[in-house]
Amino acid sequence: MCARMILAAISATLSLAATWVVASPEHSKPLPQESLNQERISVLIEGSGTDVILIPGLASSREVWAGLASKLRQNHRLHLVQIAGFAGSPAVPDIDGKVAAPTADAIAEYIRRHRIEAPTIIGHSLGGEVALMLGARYPDRVGRLMIVDALPFYTLLVAPSATSETATPHAIEIRDAMLTASPEQNAAMQNASIARLAKTEAIRPSLVVAATQSDRETVAHAVYELMTTDLRPELNRIKAPVEVVYAYDNLFGVPASNVDALYRNAYASTPEVSFTRIDGSFHFVMFDQAELFSDAVMKFLDK
């Protein structure tokens, strides 16, 4: 994703931003939450076979994986994560103002508690950062990682020489602006942002609903965390193979080679990494290029 579009994401979706288990097919079943840490996530299980854990992004529902799940559940046991506070799910207190890091801890505990051996982790956007945290901080609990349109330090998209320290003042401004925006401002920002993040018009309304139903404080803290967390120094701890899938479209206004270089440079210290670019797509590649994305996932799982 190019700097122009991520700026839109940061200053719109990011700059604002039931039942615990989403209604699901009869072959799905919810797992109980068993500890305070696990309240950060709920998990829906579908299918049978090798284990795949799917993590959605900022202010998103696990329903973003529905199309992919319909293809994977025949041969894989899917663990569809919902992050607390996103898409209408109940919020829980942030831990030191963080969302992604405690979510990674909760998923690591979920893997340990349910004795899941070397699962594949697929994470989109903020979920991609969670996946990287799992790989780097719990290297023996994951089998392989697919990172979907996510970087180990998001501020690189707008400031290639940025550090966590230099990113902090702007991150504070954005977080505080999100918390003080009126409901009307929030809704307008979400609509404008989703138009830049999803090329497929038909899917935009459901993404807007998920975003506007997300807990404002949770989203604001998550944005701050994304903007100030630089995982590049941790990437060399990852033992699992990593595949980075990222979007490109001519509407980004920059050559594809620039986007290629951005991702390769950001992941340079990852021991075993490969890259797949999906053209003709904005940030939500699972909708904009559903078949190409599904094919990329299938090939990754078959390796």
Side-chain angles (χ1 to χ4, degrees):
M1 218 176 161
C2 71
R4 177 175 63 83
M5 293 192 69
I6 285 295
L7 267 175
I10 291 177
S11 40
T13 293
L14 306 186
S15 86
L16 305 108
T19 57
W20 197 203
V21 178
V22 176
S24 58
E26 60 187 12
H27 54 260
S28 303
K29 57 182 178 180
L31 289 182
Q33 284 144 9
E34 300 165 330
S35 67
L36 177 62
N37 192 40
Q38 286 302 96
E39 289 179 1
R40 300 207 66 86
I41 62 172
S42 70
V43 181
L44 196 65
I45 296 177
E46 297 184 357
S48 61
T50 56
D51 291 290
V52 179
I53 297 175
L54 297 127
I55 312 168
L58 179 74
S60 289
S61 164
R62 61 173 141 230
E63 290 299 308
V64 299
W65 302 117
L68 179 65
S70 68
K71 297 184 177 183
L72 296 185
R73 66 170 67 103
Q74 288 82 9
N75 299 303
H76 302 279
R77 184 168 67 148
L78 307 180
H79 306 259
L80 295 150
V81 172
Q82 182 63 56
I83 299 174
F86 291 168
S89 59
V92 296
D94 296 322
I95 299 174
D96 297 328
K98 294 184 178 180
V99 177
T103 297
D105 293 339
I107 295 173
E109 173 62 14
Y110 172 83
I111 292 169
R112 184 200 67 79
R113 185 181 298 271
H114 295 283
R115 300 179 181 179
I116 303 171
E117 294 294 331
T120 294
I121 313 293
I122 302 177
H124 173 246
S125 195
L126 175 143
E129 183 145 338
V130 171
L132 290 173
M133 290 176 178
L134 282 167
R137 300 173 185 179
Y138 301 92
D140 296 325
R141 297 193 193 180
V142 301
R144 47 187 160 176
L145 307 172
M146 175 176 275
I147 312 302
V148 183
D149 217 50
L151 287 167
F153 183 29
Y154 272 90
T155 303
L156 294 175
L157 290 157
V158 293
S161 61
T163 65
S164 295
E165 290 73 22
T166 61
T168 296
H170 186 48
I172 291 173
E173 291 177 5
I174 288 180
R175 179 195 64 198
D176 293 349
M178 291 172 64
L179 292 172
T180 57
S182 69
E184 294 76 17
Q185 289 171 325
N186 180 24
M189 290 175 182
Q190 295 294 358
N191 277 283
S193 176
I194 293 301
R196 295 174 174 88
L197 297 174
K199 193 173 182 179
T200 305
E201 292 185 13
I203 198 62
R204 290 175 184 171
S206 64
L207 296 176
V208 170
V209 168
T212 54
Q213 289 183 347
S214 295
D215 177 70
R216 183 86 64 91
E217 186 172 351
T218 302
V219 175
H221 286 165
V223 169
Y224 175 85
E225 183 183 11
L226 287 178
M227 293 182 67
T228 58
T229 299
D230 186 355
L231 293 176
R232 288 175 296 174
E234 300 184 46
L235 296 180
N236 61 3
R237 303 178 194 166
I238 298 175
K239 298 178 182 179
V242 177
E243 174 137 358
V244 180
V245 175
Y246 59 98
Y248 176 75
D249 192 90
N250 290 330
L251 293 175
F252 288 0
V254 297
S257 58
N258 289 19
V259 180
D260 294 340
L262 171 67
Y263 277 87
R264 281 161 173 75
N265 290 338
Y267 286 94
S269 62
T270 310
E272 185 178 348
V273 62
S274 57
F275 299 89
T276 298
R277 192 183 77 215
I278 295 183
D279 293 338
S281 177
F282 291 177
H283 185 52
F284 282 91
V285 293
M286 66 282 288
F287 299 121
D288 291 344
Q289 291 291 347
E291 290 301 319
L292 291 176
F293 178 64
S294 294
D295 289 347
V297 173
M298 296 290 195
K299 290 177 182 176
F300 176 67
L301 293 174
D302 288 342
K303 288 180 179 178

